[in-house]
Amino acid sequence: MVHTLKGTVRVGDRLIEVDSEGYLRHLGDWSEDFARALAEREGLELTDAHWELIHFLRAYWTEHGVQPQVRVMIRHFTARWGAQRGSNHHLHEMFPRGGPQKQGNRLDGLLRTKGEH
């Protein structure tokens, strides 16, 4: 079982604190194992494409100090994967619980974007 207590995600022998929507409370707790555990809890099977997007989001955050806007993701992934796979529609199909900016950010261990409640 992945989710042991409300507000936590079990990663190996550790309980990692998350808020009520699954965002990390402490950004330093992120790991690929955390992403796998949270994805399992959210019913999402991570593919190579998911990992590519996750790594893009983390790299963008590291370089710019903010999450990329969806249009930045669309431009980047359209160039990498082509117009259909890089489209807003496809990115939201990949991350059905809030799209790449919400579900992707949760899996990346990043913060909520502005405007989220």
Side-chain angles (χ1 to χ4, degrees):
M1 176 176 239
V2 174
H3 186 197
T4 304
L5 300 171
K6 187 173 183 160
T8 64
V9 174
R10 179 172 293 284
V11 179
D13 61 351
R14 292 183 61 207
L15 290 177
I16 304 296
E17 288 184 64
V18 295
D19 70 10
S20 63
E21 293 184 44
Y23 290 90
L24 276 177
R25 294 237 183 242
H26 310 286
L27 297 180
D29 285 338
W30 187 84
S31 67
E32 288 190 358
D33 287 336
F34 170 81
R36 285 182 196 95
L38 186 60
E40 182 180 326
R41 183 173 99 176
E42 293 187 2
L44 183 66
E45 184 175 336
L46 296 176
T47 65
D48 289 344
H50 287 97
W51 283 112
E52 189 172 342
L53 196 135
I54 287 169
H55 291 137
F56 170 79
L57 292 174
R58 291 196 58 80
Y60 193 95
W61 169 267
T62 299
E63 184 176 339
H64 301 281
V66 296
Q67 297 94 326
Q69 296 176 341
V70 174
R71 65 188 162 124
V72 171
M73 290 181 243
I74 292 168
R75 186 171 49 245
H76 176 82
F77 288 103
T78 294
R80 299 228 357 113
W81 298 340
Q84 186 175 359
R85 287 190 60 219
S87 71
N88 186 44
H89 180 74
H90 185 260
L91 295 177
H92 278 77
E93 283 182 341
M94 286 176 60
F95 294 94
R97 292 188 177 195
Q101 203 167 35
K102 289 183 181 180
Q103 189 172 29
N105 285 343
R106 282 194 304 273
L107 295 171
D108 287 334
L110 300 179
L111 304 172
R112 296 176 195 217
T113 55
K114 274 189 169 185
E116 285 189 62
H117 22 38

